[in-house]
Coordinates of all heavy atoms in Angstrom, one line a residue:
M1 N 139.3 77.7 169.0 CA 140.0 77.4 167.8 C 139.7 78.4 166.7 O 138.5 78.9 166.6 CB 139.6 76.0 167.3 CG 140.3 75.6 166.1 SD 139.8 74.0 165.3 CE 139.4 72.9 166.5
A2 N 140.7 78.7 165.9 CA 140.5 79.7 164.8 C 139.7 79.1 163.7 O 139.9 77.9 163.4 CB 141.8 80.3 164.4
E3 N 139.0 79.9 163.0 CA 138.3 79.4 161.8 C 138.7 80.3 160.6 O 138.7 81.5 160.7 CB 136.8 79.6 162.0 CG 136.0 79.1 160.8 CD 134.5 79.3 161.0 OE1 134.0 79.2 162.1 OE2 133.8 79.5 160.0
V4 N 139.1 79.6 159.5 CA 139.6 80.4 158.3 C 138.5 80.2 157.3 O 138.1 79.1 156.9 CB 140.9 79.8 157.8 CG1 141.3 80.5 156.5 CG2 142.0 80.0 158.8
K5 N 138.0 81.3 156.8 CA 136.9 81.2 155.8 C 137.5 80.7 154.4 O 138.6 81.0 154.1 CB 136.3 82.6 155.5 CG 135.6 83.1 156.8 CD 134.9 84.4 156.5 CE 134.1 84.9 157.7 NZ 133.4 86.1 157.4
P6 N 136.7 79.9 153.7 CA 137.2 79.4 152.4 C 137.6 80.5 151.4 O 138.4 80.2 150.5 CB 136.1 78.5 151.9 CG 135.1 78.4 153.0 CD 135.4 79.4 154.0
T7 N 137.0 81.7 151.5 CA 137.3 82.7 150.5 C 138.5 83.6 150.9 O 138.7 84.6 150.2 CB 136.0 83.6 150.4 OG1 135.7 84.1 151.6 CG2 134.9 82.7 149.8
T8 N 139.2 83.3 152.0 CA 140.2 84.2 152.5 C 141.3 84.4 151.4 O 141.8 85.5 151.2 CB 140.9 83.6 153.7 OG1 139.9 83.5 154.7 CG2 142.0 84.5 154.3
G9 N 141.7 83.3 150.7 CA 142.7 83.5 149.7 C 142.3 84.4 148.6 O 143.1 85.3 148.1
S10 N 141.1 84.4 148.2 CA 140.6 85.3 147.1 C 140.5 86.7 147.6 O 140.8 87.6 146.9 CB 139.2 84.8 146.7 OG 138.7 85.7 145.7
I11 N 140.1 86.9 148.9 CA 140.0 88.2 149.4 C 141.4 88.8 149.5 O 141.6 90.0 149.0 CB 139.4 88.2 150.8 CG1 137.9 87.8 150.7 CG2 139.5 89.5 151.6 CD1 137.3 87.4 152.1
V12 N 142.4 88.1 149.9 CA 143.7 88.6 150.0 C 144.3 88.9 148.6 O 144.9 89.9 148.4 CB 144.6 87.6 150.8 CG1 146.1 88.1 150.7 CG2 144.2 87.5 152.3
A13 N 144.1 88.0 147.7 CA 144.6 88.2 146.3 C 144.1 89.4 145.7 O 144.7 90.0 144.8 CB 144.2 86.9 145.5
H14 N 142.9 89.9 146.0 CA 142.3 91.0 145.4 C 142.6 92.3 146.1 O 142.1 93.4 145.7 CB 140.8 90.8 145.2 CG 140.4 89.8 144.2 ND1 140.3 88.5 144.5 CD2 140.2 90.0 142.9 CE1 140.0 87.8 143.3 NE2 139.9 88.7 142.4
L15 N 143.3 92.3 147.2 CA 143.7 93.5 147.9 C 144.6 94.4 147.0 O 145.5 93.8 146.4 CB 144.3 93.2 149.2 CG 143.5 92.6 150.3 CD1 144.3 92.2 151.5 CD2 142.4 93.5 150.7
R16 N 144.4 95.7 146.9 CA 145.2 96.5 146.1 C 146.7 96.4 146.4 O 147.5 96.3 145.5 CB 144.8 98.0 146.2 CG 145.7 98.9 145.4 CD 145.3 100.3 145.2 NE 144.1 100.5 144.3 CZ 144.1 100.3 143.0 NH1 145.1 99.7 142.4 NH2 143.0 100.6 142.3
G17 N 147.1 96.3 147.7 CA 148.5 96.2 148.0 C 149.1 94.9 147.6 O 150.2 94.9 147.1
V18 N 148.3 93.9 147.6 CA 148.8 92.6 147.2 C 149.0 92.6 145.7 O 150.0 92.1 145.1 CB 147.9 91.4 147.6 CG1 148.3 90.1 147.0 CG2 147.9 91.3 149.2
R19 N 148.0 93.1 145.0 CA 148.0 93.2 143.5 C 149.2 94.0 143.0 O 150.0 93.6 142.1 CB 146.7 93.7 142.9 CG 145.6 92.8 143.1 CD 144.4 93.2 142.3 NE 144.3 94.6 142.1 CZ 143.2 95.4 142.5 NH1 142.2 94.8 143.1 NH2 143.2 96.7 142.3
D20 N 149.4 95.1 143.7 CA 150.6 96.0 143.4 C 151.9 95.3 143.6 O 152.8 95.4 142.8 CB 150.5 97.3 144.2 CG 149.4 98.2 143.7 OD1 148.8 97.9 142.7 OD2 149.0 99.2 144.5
A21 N 152.0 94.6 144.7 CA 153.2 93.9 145.1 C 153.5 92.8 144.0 O 154.7 92.6 143.6 CB 153.2 93.3 146.5
V22 N 152.5 92.1 143.6 CA 152.7 91.0 142.6 C 153.1 91.7 141.3 O 154.1 91.2 140.6 CB 151.4 90.2 142.4 CG1 151.4 89.3 141.1 CG2 151.1 89.4 143.6
A23 N 152.5 92.8 140.9 CA 152.9 93.4 139.6 C 154.3 94.0 139.7 O 155.1 93.8 138.7 CB 151.9 94.6 139.3
D24 N 154.7 94.5 140.9 CA 156.1 95.0 141.0 C 157.1 93.9 140.9 O 158.2 94.0 140.3 CB 156.3 95.7 142.4 CG 155.6 97.0 142.4 OD1 155.2 97.6 141.4 OD2 155.4 97.6 143.6
E25 N 156.8 92.7 141.5 CA 157.7 91.6 141.5 C 157.9 91.1 140.0 O 159.0 90.8 139.6 CB 157.1 90.4 142.4 CG 158.0 89.2 142.3 CD 159.3 89.3 142.9 OE1 159.6 90.2 143.8 OE2 160.2 88.5 142.5
L26 N 156.8 91.0 139.3 CA 156.8 90.6 137.9 C 157.6 91.6 137.1 O 158.3 91.2 136.1 CB 155.4 90.3 137.4 CG 155.1 88.8 137.2 CD1 155.9 88.1 136.2 CD2 155.1 88.1 138.5
D27 N 157.5 92.9 137.3 CA 158.2 93.8 136.6 C 159.7 93.6 136.8 O 160.5 93.7 135.8 CB 157.8 95.3 137.0 CG 156.5 95.7 136.4 OD1 156.1 95.1 135.4 OD2 155.9 96.6 137.0
Q28 N 160.1 93.3 138.0 CA 161.5 93.1 138.3 C 162.0 91.8 137.6 O 163.1 91.8 137.0 CB 161.8 93.0 139.8 CG 161.6 94.3 140.5 CD 161.7 94.1 142.0 OE1 162.1 93.0 142.5 NE2 161.3 95.1 142.8
R29 N 161.2 90.8 137.6 CA 161.5 89.5 136.9 C 161.6 89.7 135.4 O 162.5 89.2 134.7 CB 160.5 88.4 137.3 CG 160.7 88.0 138.7 CD 159.6 87.0 139.1 NE 159.7 86.6 140.5 CZ 159.8 85.4 140.9 NH1 159.9 84.4 140.1 NH2 159.9 85.2 142.2
A30 N 160.7 90.5 134.9 CA 160.7 90.8 133.4 C 162.0 91.5 133.1 O 162.5 91.3 132.0 CB 159.5 91.6 133.0
D31 N 162.4 92.5 133.9 CA 163.6 93.2 133.6 C 164.8 92.3 133.6 O 165.7 92.4 132.7 CB 163.9 94.2 134.7 CG 162.9 95.4 134.6 OD1 162.3 95.6 133.6 OD2 162.8 96.2 135.6
R32 N 164.9 91.2 134.4 CA 166.0 90.3 134.4 C 165.9 89.5 133.1 O 167.0 89.2 132.5 CB 165.9 89.3 135.6 CG 166.2 90.1 136.9 CD 166.5 89.1 138.0 NE 165.5 88.1 138.3 CZ 164.6 88.1 139.3 NH1 164.6 89.2 140.1 NH2 163.8 87.1 139.4
V33 N 164.7 89.1 132.7 CA 164.6 88.3 131.4 C 165.0 89.2 130.2 O 165.7 88.8 129.4 CB 163.1 87.9 131.2 CG1 162.9 87.3 129.8 CG2 162.7 86.8 132.3
R34 N 164.6 90.4 130.2 CA 164.9 91.4 129.1 C 166.4 91.6 129.1 O 167.0 91.7 128.0 CB 164.2 92.7 129.3 CG 162.7 92.6 129.0 CD 162.1 94.0 129.0 NE 160.6 93.9 129.0 CZ 159.8 94.1 130.0 NH1 160.2 94.6 131.1 NH2 158.5 94.0 129.8
A35 N 167.1 91.6 130.2 CA 168.5 91.9 130.3 C 169.3 90.7 129.6 O 170.2 90.9 128.8 CB 169.0 92.1 131.7
V36 N 168.8 89.5 129.9 CA 169.4 88.3 129.3 C 169.2 88.3 127.8 O 170.1 88.1 126.9 CB 168.9 87.0 129.9 CG1 169.4 85.8 129.1 CG2 169.4 86.9 131.3
I37 N 168.0 88.6 127.4 CA 167.6 88.7 125.9 C 168.5 89.7 125.2 O 169.0 89.5 124.1 CB 166.1 88.9 125.7 CG1 165.3 87.7 126.2 CG2 165.8 89.3 124.3 CD1 163.8 88.0 126.3
A38 N 168.6 90.9 125.8 CA 169.3 92.0 125.2 C 170.8 91.6 125.0 O 171.4 92.0 124.0 CB 169.2 93.3 126.1
A39 N 171.4 90.9 125.9 CA 172.8 90.5 125.8 C 173.0 89.5 124.7 O 174.1 89.3 124.3 CB 173.3 90.0 127.2
H40 N 172.0 88.8 124.3 CA 172.1 87.7 123.4 C 171.3 87.9 122.1 O 171.3 86.9 121.3 CB 171.7 86.3 124.0 CG 172.6 85.9 125.1 ND1 172.4 86.3 126.4 CD2 173.8 85.2 125.1 CE1 173.4 85.8 127.2 NE2 174.2 85.1 126.4
R41 N 170.7 89.0 121.9 CA 169.8 89.1 120.8 C 170.5 89.0 119.5 O 171.6 89.6 119.3 CB 169.0 90.4 120.9 CG 169.7 91.6 120.7 CD 168.8 92.8 120.9 NE 169.5 94.0 120.6 CZ 169.0 95.2 120.6 NH1 167.7 95.3 120.7 NH2 169.7 96.3 120.4
H42 N 169.8 88.4 118.6 CA 170.3 88.2 117.2 C 169.6 89.2 116.3 O 170.2 90.0 115.6 CB 170.2 86.8 116.7 CG 170.6 86.5 115.3 ND1 171.9 86.6 114.9 CD2 169.9 86.3 114.2 CE1 172.0 86.4 113.6 NE2 170.8 86.2 113.2
S43 N 168.3 89.1 116.3 CA 167.5 89.9 115.4 C 166.7 91.0 116.2 O 166.2 91.9 115.6 CB 166.5 89.1 114.6 OG 165.5 88.5 115.4
G44 N 166.5 90.8 117.4 CA 165.7 91.7 118.2 C 164.2 91.3 118.3 O 163.4 92.0 119.0
A45 N 163.8 90.3 117.6 CA 162.4 89.9 117.5 C 162.0 89.4 118.9 O 160.8 89.7 119.3 CB 162.2 88.8 116.5
L46 N 162.8 88.6 119.6 CA 162.3 88.1 120.9 C 162.2 89.3 121.9 O 161.2 89.3 122.6 CB 163.3 87.1 121.4 CG 163.0 86.4 122.7 CD1 161.6 85.7 122.6 CD2 164.0 85.4 123.2
A47 N 163.1 90.2 121.9 CA 163.0 91.3 122.8 C 161.8 92.2 122.5 O 161.1 92.7 123.4 CB 164.3 92.2 122.6
A48 N 161.5 92.3 121.2 CA 160.3 93.1 120.8 C 159.0 92.5 121.2 O 158.0 93.2 121.4 CB 160.3 93.4 119.3
H49 N 159.0 91.2 121.4 CA 157.8 90.5 121.7 C 157.8 89.9 123.2 O 157.1 88.9 123.4 CB 157.6 89.3 120.7 CG 157.3 89.8 119.3 ND1 158.3 89.9 118.4 CD2 156.2 90.4 118.8 CE1 157.8 90.4 117.3 NE2 156.6 90.7 117.5
T50 N 158.5 90.5 124.0 CA 158.5 90.1 125.5 C 157.8 91.2 126.2 O 158.2 92.3 126.2 CB 160.0 89.9 126.0 OG1 160.6 88.9 125.2 CG2 160.0 89.5 127.4
T51 N 156.7 90.8 126.9 CA 155.9 91.8 127.6 C 155.4 91.2 128.9 O 155.6 90.0 129.2 CB 154.6 92.0 126.8 OG1 153.9 90.8 126.6 CG2 154.9 92.7 125.4
V52 N 154.9 92.1 129.7 CA 154.3 91.7 131.0 C 152.8 91.9 130.9 O 152.3 93.0 130.6 CB 154.8 92.5 132.2 CG1 154.1 92.1 133.5 CG2 156.3 92.2 132.4
R53 N 152.0 90.8 131.1 CA 150.6 90.9 131.1 C 150.0 90.9 132.5 O 150.4 90.0 133.3 CB 150.0 89.8 130.2 CG 150.2 89.9 128.8 CD 149.5 88.9 128.0 NE 149.9 89.0 126.6 CZ 149.8 88.0 125.7 NH1 149.3 86.8 126.1 NH2 150.2 88.2 124.5
T54 N 149.2 91.8 132.9 CA 148.7 91.9 134.2 C 147.2 91.8 134.1 O 146.5 92.6 133.4 CB 149.1 93.2 134.9 OG1 150.5 93.2 134.9 CG2 148.6 93.2 136.3
N55 N 146.6 90.9 134.9 CA 145.1 90.9 135.0 C 144.7 91.3 136.4 O 145.5 92.0 137.1 CB 144.5 89.5 134.6 CG 145.0 88.4 135.5 OD1 145.4 88.6 136.6 ND2 145.0 87.2 135.0
R56 N 143.6 91.0 136.9 CA 143.1 91.5 138.2 C 143.9 91.0 139.3 O 144.1 91.8 140.3 CB 141.6 91.1 138.4 CG 140.7 91.8 137.4 CD 139.3 91.4 137.6 NE 138.8 91.7 139.0 CZ 137.8 91.1 139.5 NH1 137.1 90.2 138.9 NH2 137.4 91.4 140.8
T57 N 144.5 89.8 139.3 CA 145.2 89.3 140.5 C 146.6 88.8 140.2 O 147.3 88.4 141.1 CB 144.4 88.2 141.2 OG1 144.2 87.1 140.2 CG2 143.1 88.7 141.7
D58 N 147.0 88.7 138.9 CA 148.2 88.1 138.6 C 148.9 88.8 137.4 O 148.3 89.5 136.7 CB 148.0 86.6 138.3 CG 149.2 85.7 138.5 OD1 150.2 86.3 138.9 OD2 149.1 84.5 138.3
S59 N 150.2 88.5 137.3 CA 151.0 89.0 136.2 C 151.8 87.9 135.6 O 152.2 87.0 136.3 CB 151.9 90.2 136.6 OG 151.1 91.2 137.1
T60 N 152.1 88.0 134.3 CA 152.8 86.9 133.6 C 153.8 87.6 132.6 O 153.5 88.5 131.9 CB 151.9 86.1 132.8 OG1 150.8 85.6 133.6 CG2 152.6 84.9 132.1
V61 N 155.0 87.1 132.6 CA 156.0 87.5 131.6 C 155.8 86.6 130.4 O 155.8 85.4 130.5 CB 157.5 87.3 132.1 CG1 158.5 87.7 131.0 CG2 157.7 88.1 133.4
V62 N 155.5 87.3 129.2 CA 155.2 86.6 128.0 C 156.3 86.8 127.0 O 156.6 87.9 126.7 CB 153.8 87.1 127.5 CG1 153.4 86.3 126.2 CG2 152.7 86.9 128.5
M63 N 156.8 85.7 126.4 CA 157.8 85.7 125.4 C 157.1 85.1 124.1 O 156.9 83.9 124.1 CB 159.0 85.0 125.8 CG 159.7 85.5 127.0 SD 160.9 84.4 127.7 CE 162.2 84.4 126.5
E64 N 156.7 86.0 123.2 CA 156.0 85.5 122.0 C 156.9 85.5 120.8 O 157.1 86.5 120.1 CB 154.8 86.4 121.7 CG 153.8 86.4 122.8 CD 152.6 87.3 122.6 OE1 152.9 88.5 122.3 OE2 151.5 86.9 122.7
D65 N 157.5 84.4 120.6 CA 158.4 84.2 119.4 C 158.3 82.7 119.0 O 158.3 81.8 119.9 CB 159.8 84.5 119.7 CG 160.7 84.5 118.5 OD1 161.0 83.4 118.0 OD2 161.1 85.6 118.1
P66 N 158.1 82.4 117.8 CA 158.0 80.9 117.4 C 159.2 80.1 117.8 O 159.0 78.9 118.0 CB 157.8 81.0 115.9 CG 157.5 82.4 115.5 CD 158.0 83.2 116.6
A67 N 160.3 80.7 117.9 CA 161.5 80.0 118.2 C 162.0 80.1 119.7 O 163.1 79.8 120.0 CB 162.7 80.4 117.3
V68 N 161.1 80.5 120.6 CA 161.5 80.8 122.0 C 162.0 79.6 122.7 O 163.0 79.7 123.4 CB 160.3 81.4 122.8 CG1 159.2 80.4 123.0 CG2 160.8 82.0 124.1
F69 N 161.5 78.4 122.4 CA 162.0 77.2 123.0 C 163.4 77.0 122.6 O 164.3 76.7 123.5 CB 161.1 76.0 122.7 CG 161.4 74.8 123.4 CD1 160.9 74.6 124.7 CD2 162.2 73.8 122.9 CE1 161.2 73.4 125.4 CE2 162.6 72.7 123.6 CZ 162.0 72.5 124.9
A70 N 163.7 77.0 121.4 CA 165.1 76.8 120.9 C 166.0 77.9 121.3 O 167.2 77.6 121.7 CB 165.1 76.7 119.3
I71 N 165.6 79.1 121.4 CA 166.4 80.2 121.8 C 166.8 80.1 123.3 O 167.9 80.3 123.7 CB 165.7 81.6 121.6 CG1 165.6 81.9 120.1 CG2 166.5 82.7 122.2 CD1 164.6 83.0 119.7
N72 N 165.8 79.7 124.1 CA 166.0 79.6 125.5 C 166.8 78.4 125.9 O 167.7 78.5 126.7 CB 164.7 79.6 126.3 CG 164.9 79.9 127.7 OD1 165.3 80.9 128.2 ND2 164.7 78.8 128.5
Y73 N 166.5 77.2 125.3 CA 167.1 76.0 125.8 C 168.2 75.4 124.9 O 168.9 74.5 125.3 CB 166.0 74.9 126.0 CG 165.1 75.3 127.0 CD1 163.8 75.6 126.7 CD2 165.4 75.3 128.4 CE1 162.9 76.0 127.7 CE2 164.5 75.7 129.3 CZ 163.3 76.0 129.0 OH 162.4 76.4 130.0
G74 N 168.4 76.0 123.7 CA 169.4 75.5 122.8 C 168.8 74.7 121.6 O 167.7 74.3 121.7
H75 N 169.6 74.6 120.6 CA 169.2 73.8 119.4 C 170.4 73.4 118.6 O 171.5 73.9 118.7 CB 168.2 74.7 118.6 CG 168.8 75.9 118.1 ND1 168.9 77.1 118.9 CD2 169.4 76.3 116.9 CE1 169.5 78.0 118.2 NE2 169.8 77.6 117.0
L76 N 170.1 72.5 117.6 CA 171.1 72.2 116.6 C 171.1 73.1 115.5 O 170.0 73.4 114.9 CB 170.9 70.7 116.1 CG 171.3 69.6 117.1 CD1 170.9 68.3 116.5 CD2 172.8 69.6 117.4
A77 N 172.2 73.7 115.1 CA 172.3 74.5 113.9 C 172.2 73.7 112.7 O 172.4 72.4 112.7 CB 173.6 75.3 114.0
P78 N 172.0 74.2 111.5 CA 171.9 73.5 110.3 C 173.2 72.7 110.0 O 173.1 71.6 109.4 CB 171.7 74.5 109.2 CG 171.0 75.6 109.9 CD 171.6 75.6 111.3
N79 N 174.3 73.1 110.5 CA 175.6 72.4 110.3 C 175.8 71.3 111.3 O 176.8 70.6 111.3 CB 176.8 73.3 110.3 CG 177.0 74.0 111.6 OD1 176.3 73.7 112.6 ND2 178.0 74.9 111.7
G80 N 174.8 71.1 112.2 CA 174.9 70.0 113.2 C 175.6 70.4 114.5 O 175.6 69.6 115.4
R81 N 176.0 71.7 114.6 CA 176.7 72.2 115.8 C 175.6 72.6 116.8 O 174.6 73.1 116.5 CB 177.6 73.4 115.4 CG 178.4 73.9 116.6 CD 179.3 75.1 116.2 NE 178.5 76.2 115.7 CZ 178.0 77.2 116.5 NH1 178.2 77.2 117.7 NH2 177.3 78.2 115.9
W82 N 175.9 72.2 118.1 CA 174.9 72.6 119.1 C 175.1 74.1 119.5 O 176.2 74.6 119.7 CB 175.2 71.8 120.4 CG 174.3 72.2 121.5 CD1 174.6 72.8 122.6 CD2 172.9 71.9 121.6 NE1 173.5 73.0 123.4 CE2 172.4 72.4 122.8 CE3 171.9 71.3 120.8 CZ2 171.1 72.4 123.2 CZ3 170.6 71.2 121.2 CH2 170.2 71.7 122.4
V83 N 174.0 74.8 119.5 CA 173.9 76.2 119.9 C 173.3 76.3 121.3 O 172.1 75.9 121.4 CB 173.1 77.1 118.9 CG1 173.0 78.5 119.3 CG2 173.7 76.9 117.5
P84 N 174.1 76.7 122.3 CA 173.5 76.7 123.6 C 172.4 77.8 123.7 O 172.4 78.8 123.1 CB 174.7 77.0 124.5 CG 175.8 77.6 123.6 CD 175.5 77.1 122.2
G85 N 171.5 77.5 124.6 CA 170.4 78.4 124.9 C 170.8 79.6 125.8 O 171.9 79.5 126.4
I86 N 170.0 80.6 125.8 CA 170.3 81.8 126.6 C 169.8 81.8 128.0 O 170.1 82.5 128.8 CB 169.9 83.1 125.9 CG1 168.3 83.2 125.8 CG2 170.5 83.2 124.5 CD1 167.8 84.5 125.3
H87 N 168.8 80.9 128.2 CA 168.2 80.6 129.5 C 167.6 81.9 130.2 O 167.8 82.2 131.4 CB 169.2 79.9 130.5 CG 169.6 78.6 129.9 ND1 168.8 77.5 130.0 CD2 170.7 78.2 129.2 CE1 169.5 76.5 129.5 NE2 170.6 76.9 129.0
A88 N 166.9 82.7 129.4 CA 166.3 83.9 129.8 C 165.1 83.6 130.8 O 164.9 84.3 131.7 CB 165.8 84.7 128.6
I89 N 164.4 82.5 130.5 CA 163.3 82.2 131.4 C 163.8 81.9 132.8 O 163.2 82.4 133.8 CB 162.5 80.9 130.8 CG1 161.9 81.3 129.5 CG2 161.5 80.4 131.8 CD1 161.3 80.1 128.7
E90 N 164.9 81.2 132.9 CA 165.4 80.9 134.2 C 165.8 82.2 135.0 O 165.8 82.2 136.2 CB 166.6 79.9 134.1 CG 166.2 78.5 133.7 CD 166.0 78.4 132.2 OE1 166.0 79.4 131.5 OE2 165.9 77.2 131.7
A91 N 166.3 83.2 134.3 CA 166.7 84.4 134.9 C 165.5 85.1 135.6 O 165.7 85.9 136.5 CB 167.3 85.4 133.8
G92 N 164.3 84.8 135.1 CA 163.1 85.4 135.7 C 162.5 84.6 136.9 O 161.6 85.1 137.5
L93 N 163.1 83.5 137.2 CA 162.5 82.7 138.2 C 162.9 83.2 139.6 O 163.9 83.7 139.8 CB 162.9 81.2 138.1 CG 162.4 80.6 136.8 CD1 162.9 79.1 136.7 CD2 160.9 80.6 136.7

């Protein structure tokens, strides 16, 4: 019977090739998010604050804007009209 060491996941996650593959995948996903943002940008603030953060084993697409939830999912305008969201987060999934 085969035995799997409990640290196997950590060992694999820290391999250079695995880290590089994760970073490449996130760069591609971030490009998709940025494309959606660029097509719908109003002020450019969201585009300027969208970055990819990479640590030792993982990467994250970060959208730093106080209104990111409303921009992505939609919101009511001051006149009561519904403004649909741009769904940039979903583009990166």
Side-chain angles (χ1 to χ4, degrees):
M1 181 184 329
E3 180 182 332
V4 178
K5 294 183 179 183
T7 58
T8 301
S10 178
I11 292 168
V12 171
H14 288 87
L15 293 173
R16 176 169 287 298
V18 173
R19 291 190 331 238
D20 291 346
V22 168
D24 289 346
E25 177 67 25
L26 254 294
D27 284 338
Q28 291 174 13
R29 290 175 184 237
D31 288 343
R32 293 195 305 259
V33 170
R34 287 185 189 111
V36 172
I37 291 170
H40 293 89
R41 69 181 181 174
H42 177 68
S43 68
L46 183 59
H49 295 101
T50 300
T51 59
V52 176
R53 291 188 184 153
T54 302
N55 62 25
R56 290 179 60 199
T57 59
D58 205 0
S59 297
T60 306
V61 178
V62 180
M63 299 166 66
E64 296 178 308
D65 188 291
V68 71
F69 188 82
I71 293 167
N72 193 68
Y73 296 110
H75 61 278
L76 285 175
N79 65 2
R81 185 178 62 87
W82 179 253
V83 178
I86 64 171
H87 300 282
I89 294 170
E90 292 82 347
L93 297 178

